[in-house]
Amino acid sequence: MRSRLHFVGIIVFLLILSSNAALAQTPQQQTRGDFQWTVIPYAWLTGLSGTVGARGYQTTVDCSFADLSKYLNIGAMAHIEMLYQGRVGLFTDINYSLLGDQASGKRISLDGKTSLFLTDVAAFYRVGTVPLGQNQTSSMTFDVLAGARIWSLALKLDGDRPRGGRDIYEQRTWADPIVGARTEFRLTDAWLVSLRGGIGGFSVSSALTWDATALLGYTFWEHGTLLAGYRAVGVNYNTGSGKSAFKFDATLNGPIIGLAFTF
């Protein structure tokens, strides 16, 4: 029950996804020559499914976001974005979670002290804004982006001692290049829809990483936009062999909700 209350508290603190900071601005708010900043506290109800392993041990994880209250011990998320002259910008999106025991496999189980630190850092270029509709009261904005996704995963595997197993702790940090795009459809002065997608890895570190996000936003204040939607991030990272082997082939996905403050 305490974990449920803790998680509800996180959600209440509003959240959103990474690359949606620019969404909180209307074209009228974008004053040429000025810097625009967006700060977004958010919560991502992160489900986790896939395979994790180290030193010859591996296990399958299958935890949907609906089970989050059972295995999320700590979660902290934030997004910060800067836009210059309505054309170029930078953003960083930080996600940290400490997960509980929810996975088991043959001769092995996943300990409750598994932590994941996921950060996107990217630059973007606003290709342009196109008026839409017969009266041109709506608009579409399109950005292209490129940057890096940084992963830091620490996990503890509990071996089956009656069968000669032993506890294993492993921590790995790696970075993947990413490219992508995002588009915002501003339907009215208040309502908007945002889509973002990207791909990366290219065997630089991970064989592949990808992400996709869809958000619905409501601007209730000149400096405030409430957003809610769904986000998924996948990765296939596999390195080493034998005692040096490490594997994280997984998908993180679930609803997100956030509040974007712009100034």
Side-chain angles (χ1 to χ4, degrees):
M1 174 62 83
R2 292 184 62 185
S3 62
R4 286 178 182 271
L5 293 175
H6 179 267
F7 178 67
V8 170
I10 296 174
I11 299 180
V12 172
F13 204 103
L14 305 305
L15 21 92
I16 159 195
L17 121 72
S18 132
S19 66
N20 277 74
L23 276 53
Q25 344 267 340
T26 63
Q28 291 77 13
Q29 292 170 329
Q30 295 176 352
T31 303
R32 195 168 188 81
D34 291 343
F35 285 93
Q36 287 184 173
W37 294 89
T38 303
V39 178
I40 309 169
Y42 73 96
W44 180 20
L45 288 68
T46 316
L48 176 64
S49 61
T51 302
V52 297
R55 302 183 190 177
Y57 291 86
Q58 70 178 34
T59 186
T60 299
V61 184
D62 187 11
C63 305
S64 73
F65 67 85
D67 299 323
L68 194 59
S69 63
K70 299 178 182 179
Y71 71 94
L72 178 68
N73 296 324
I74 298 174
M77 296 87 174
H79 176 90
I80 301 173
E81 181 165 327
M82 178 275 292
L83 177 65
Y84 178 65
Q85 292 188 338
R87 182 63 71 176
V88 297
L90 297 168
F91 72 76
T92 182
D93 191 81
I94 302 170
N95 296 265
Y96 174 79
S97 57
L98 180 63
L99 305 180
D101 188 352
Q102 275 289 303
S104 62
K106 187 176 181 180
R107 298 182 58 208
I108 205 75
S109 64
L110 190 63
D111 186 79
K113 296 179 181 179
T114 302
S115 64
L116 175 65
F117 187 78
L118 174 63
T119 303
D120 283 357
V121 180
F124 65 90
Y125 176 75
R126 181 144 300 169
V127 177
T129 300
V130 180
L132 299 175
Q134 186 174 6
N135 299 322
Q136 297 189 343
T137 54
S138 303
S139 65
M140 180 189 75
T141 299
F142 185 79
D143 299 340
V144 293
L145 60 93
R149 175 166 298 141
I150 303 168
W151 303 82
S152 185
L153 178 69
L155 60 86
K156 184 178 179 182
L157 299 174
D158 291 338
D160 186 348
R161 290 185 179 82
R163 298 184 182 182
R166 57 194 178 90
D167 292 350
I168 296 171
Y169 176 82
E170 193 75 20
Q171 193 276 336
R172 293 294 176 96
T173 299
W174 70 95
D176 294 318
I178 55 172
V179 294
R182 66 181 180 181
T183 184
E184 170 195 332
F185 296 92
R186 187 161 286 277
L187 308 177
T188 67
D189 289 341
W191 291 97
L192 62 87
V193 173
S194 174
L195 304 173
R196 176 191 167 189
I199 192 170
F202 311 118
S203 296
V204 174
S205 292
S206 300
L208 175 71
T209 184
W210 57 269
D211 67 276
T213 305
L215 292 173
L216 176 66
Y218 177 72
T219 302
F220 60 92
W221 175 42
E222 179 183 359
H223 302 289
T225 298
L226 179 67
L227 302 107
Y230 199 89
R231 184 186 188 194
V233 179
V235 64
N236 182 358
Y237 179 76
N238 195 346
T239 184
S241 61
K243 293 184 178 181
S244 64
F246 187 87
K247 183 180 183 69
F248 187 57
D249 184 3
T251 299
L252 298 88
N253 64 290
I256 60 173
I257 180 172
L259 185 58
F261 297 97
T262 63
F263 53 93

